[in-house]
Amino acid sequence: MAGHGDTYVRSRAFSGIKLASLTMVTGAPEEVAAIGVRALRDAVAVRSRRTAGELRELHRLAAPHERLTEVAELRHRIVEVVSGA
C-alpha cells in the first residue's frame, strides 16, 4: 500500500482491502480496523464493482469477529460504502 501514491488510488484501495482480508483470515482481527479504514477511504474515491466485491468479501470474513468494536464498526462502514451511503 505504501508504494501506491495518490495517482494510484485504485491500486492502493484494492491492496488495502486484500491486506485487510488476509489479516482477518490469519487471525489478527484487531489489526484489521486500521488497515480497513484506510482502504475504505480510498475505495470511496474509486467506486468499482471489483472493489465493491472485495469489500463484501472483507465484510463476510469479518463476521466471526464482530464482537470486537473495531471490527463491528468496520463492517458497518463497509455496508455504507458498498451501498453508496
Side-chain angles (χ1 to χ4, degrees):
M1 286 174 31
H4 301 297
D6 289 338
T7 56
Y8 299 101
V9 174
R10 184 173 192 260
S11 294
R12 190 173 60 212
F14 193 74
S15 294
I17 295 165
K18 294 302 265 182
L19 178 60
S21 294
L22 179 61
T23 305
M24 187 67 71
V25 171
T26 59
E30 57 282 345
E31 295 177 30
V32 173
I35 299 166
V37 165
R38 180 170 179 190
L40 282 171
R41 275 196 309 261
D42 291 333
V44 167
V46 174
R47 297 286 188 195
S48 75
R49 281 189 285 203
R50 183 176 176 200
T51 303
E54 293 298 327
L55 285 171
R56 285 186 194 95
E57 177 67 4
L58 176 56
H59 185 269
R60 183 187 70 75
L61 293 170
H65 306 285
E66 192 170 30
R67 71 190 181 289
L68 297 170
T69 302
E70 298 88 353
V71 174
E73 290 172 0
L74 177 63
R75 290 186 82 232
H76 176 75
R77 183 71 181 119
I78 289 170
V79 170
E80 289 179 342
V81 169
V82 170
S83 69

